[in-house]
Amino acid sequence: MTKVWITLTEPSASRIAAQLIPEGYKSICEAVTEIQILPPKINPSEKVNASDLCIFLSQHAARQYLNEVYCEAHRTCTFLAIGPSTADILKASGLSVIEPKHASSEGLLACPTVQNIKADEHVWIFCGEDGRDILHKSLMQRCHLNVVTLYRRIVRSIENPSIANANVILVGSTHGFIAAANTWRALGGSASVKFIVPSDRVADLSLELGFSGVVNAKGMDAQSLLNALARIENA
């Protein structure tokens, strides 16, 4: 039986594990990072002036936005979430949310909502520290952009020996890939282990980190992950 180490934080890890169980995969949920909430750096006048588009790069960002930033003035915004789990958090508060075809930064860039942004529009990106990535770089010259950092990821110390028996390691970001690679080596894991990553940007780290067995799932939704696992088993 293929054993998958899921390095994401909750609730993503348990959700993914539950999706893998019916397909015959055994999972270990052991996050390589933990979340530290940050106060949003938004003054009151900014908060009540609704943007044209709000983009959310994670579940944590969506949850903190609702807790700390959202107000009725934002009802007129267009909301865009990186994937279905992030969208569900916003939808639970009665918001209408657009999702890209692929749950990744690349998927957001390819989304018609982002493709059609106009120069006079105000766009907010809600994310974690170091979460601005290619989306931020693409939009900063195309519109009035404000990046709101709502949390940071802190690397955890992991001493779980059962992790070293995993066949596949699932990571969700560049930060997570680096932390998982370092933990894997510290636990004496095999260099031939397979990594599943969500995007080209994360996959590009593989050679730098010294791992060649990397499969790009091109998203973090259940079907994308199952397809990636099938590619590993059928290789």
Side-chain angles (χ1 to χ4, degrees), residues 4-26:
V4 182
W5 172 23
I6 302 173
T7 68
L8 284 71
T9 53
E10 296 295 351
S12 296
S14 294
R15 171 182 55 81
I16 292 170
Q19 293 167 337
L20 297 185
I21 288 172
E23 305 300 325
Y25 295 103
K26 182 177 182 180

Side-chain angles (χ1 to χ4, degrees), residues 59 62 80-92 95 97-99:
Q59 296 175 63
L80 175 61
I82 194 169
S85 297
T86 301
D88 286 346
I89 292 171
L90 298 166
K91 289 176 181 177
L95 303 179
V97 186
I98 299 169
E99 300 172 47

Side-chain angles (χ1 to χ4, degrees), residues 108-126:
L108 286 171
L109 280 173
C111 179
T113 302
V114 172
Q115 290 285 316
N116 296 327
I117 289 174
K118 298 178 178 61
D120 62 344
E121 289 186 319
H122 292 262
V123 177
W124 286 8
I125 297 177
F126 295 93

Side-chain angles (χ1 to χ4, degrees), residues 153-222:
R153 297 183 184 274
I154 302 172
V155 176
R156 297 177 61 233
S157 176
I158 299 175
E159 299 178 359
N160 184 347
S162 65
I163 289 173
N165 297 321
N167 311 107
V168 178
I169 302 175
L170 174 61
V171 299
S173 65
T174 54
H175 195 87
F177 196 174
I178 293 168
N182 290 336
T183 298
W184 184 250
R185 287 198 177 92
L187 293 173
S190 170
S192 63
V193 71
K194 305 299 183 185
F195 282 85
I196 294 179
V197 302
S199 67
D200 291 332
R201 183 174 59 89
V202 182
D204 287 344
L205 276 175
S206 59
L207 293 181
E208 179 183 335
L209 295 175
F211 292 96
S212 58
V214 176
V215 175
N216 183 0
K218 299 186 182 299
M220 292 297 288
D221 59 282

